[in-house]
Amino acid sequence: MKHTAKDRPDPIERAETDDEGKSIVKVDYEAGTSRFWNGEDFHGTGVVYAVRDKECLSIQCDYELNTLFESKPQDVRAFRQDLRRKGIERRHLRDDELHSEMVVIFGPELSAKQAVEQLECLVARIKKHGLQTGKDSSEDYVLETLAGKLVK
C-alpha cells in the first residue's frame, strides 16, 4: 500500500539555522520519516559518487529509484551468500549491474558538511550493527557485521 503525505507526519524540521542563516533540514527517522520505505519513486538528475576498490568517481547523471518493488530479490548479497553457503550456483552478474561498488546519490539540497555528517552516521551504524545485506532465501533480513558474522 502506498502512503500519501497526509497519511504520515511531516518528517522534516527546519527550526535550526546554520552560520549563514540557512535552514538546517533535520529528518526524524524514528517517526517513520524516511520517505523511502513508503514505496515512493525518486528520480531526477543529480550528482552520484561511485566507489570501488578505494577509487572514487563523481558524475552528474539521471537516477531512478523505486522502493516499492524488488524486481530481482535473488541478486542481493544476503540471498547470494545464502546460496553460496548451500552450495547452489549463483546467477552471474552482468557487467551493467552493481558488483562490489557502492553508489551514493546526493540530493541537491545537501551541503558538503551535511554529506560528511550523514556518511559518518552511516559508517557508525554499519560499524555498530552491521551492513544490511537484504533478504536471504528464507526472506529473513540479514545484517553482516565487520567480523563477517551474519545476524538475522
Side-chain angles (χ1 to χ4, degrees):
M1 174 177 159
K2 189 169 184 174
H3 298 282
T4 63
K6 61 184 174 184
D7 294 333
R8 59 184 179 266
D10 183 6
I12 300 175
E13 283 181 24
R14 292 181 173 87
E16 295 182 38
T17 58
D18 65 12
D19 296 336
E20 298 174 12
K22 294 180 184 174
S23 183
I24 297 174
V25 176
K26 287 188 165 186
V27 178
D28 180 5
Y29 292 104
E30 296 302 316
T33 59
S34 175
R35 298 178 301 150
F36 294 95
W37 62 265
N38 284 308
E40 296 187 25
D41 293 335
F42 297 87
H43 53 88
T45 300
V47 175
V48 174
Y49 278 74
V51 183
R52 180 177 179 173
D53 299 329
K54 297 184 181 180
E55 289 185 27
C56 183
L57 166 73
S58 61
I59 186 169
Q60 181 172 310
C61 63
D62 286 350
Y63 65 89
E64 185 174 346
L65 300 173
N66 183 311
T67 62
L68 184 59
F69 300 105
E70 301 172 3
S71 61
K72 295 182 180 177
Q74 70 280 5
D75 284 354
V76 299
R77 181 170 175 80
F79 196 99
R80 293 176 61 79
Q81 295 297 83
D82 193 29
L83 293 180
R84 183 187 57 77
R85 283 189 302 281
K86 293 176 179 177
I88 301 171
E89 188 173 334
R90 299 169 287 170
R91 182 183 78 77
H92 176 73
L93 294 172
R94 297 185 326 256
D95 287 343
D96 65 347
E97 296 176 302
L98 292 176
H99 292 244
S100 61
E101 301 87 359
M102 179 177 78
V103 177
V104 180
I105 305 169
F106 289 93
E109 297 297 323
L110 189 72
S111 70
K113 181 180 177 183
Q114 290 171 316
V116 169
E117 289 170 349
Q118 291 182 27
L119 288 168
E120 287 173 344
C121 177
L122 177 60
V123 168
R125 181 181 178 102
I126 293 170
K127 284 181 175 179
K128 182 175 181 178
H129 300 288
L131 177 68
Q132 175 64 259
T133 61
K135 296 178 195 172
D136 63 12
S137 61
S138 301
E139 295 199 10
D140 292 321
Y141 278 100
V142 179
L143 290 170
E144 181 179 332
T145 68
L146 294 181
K149 181 180 176 188
L150 303 179
V151 180
K152 292 185 182 191

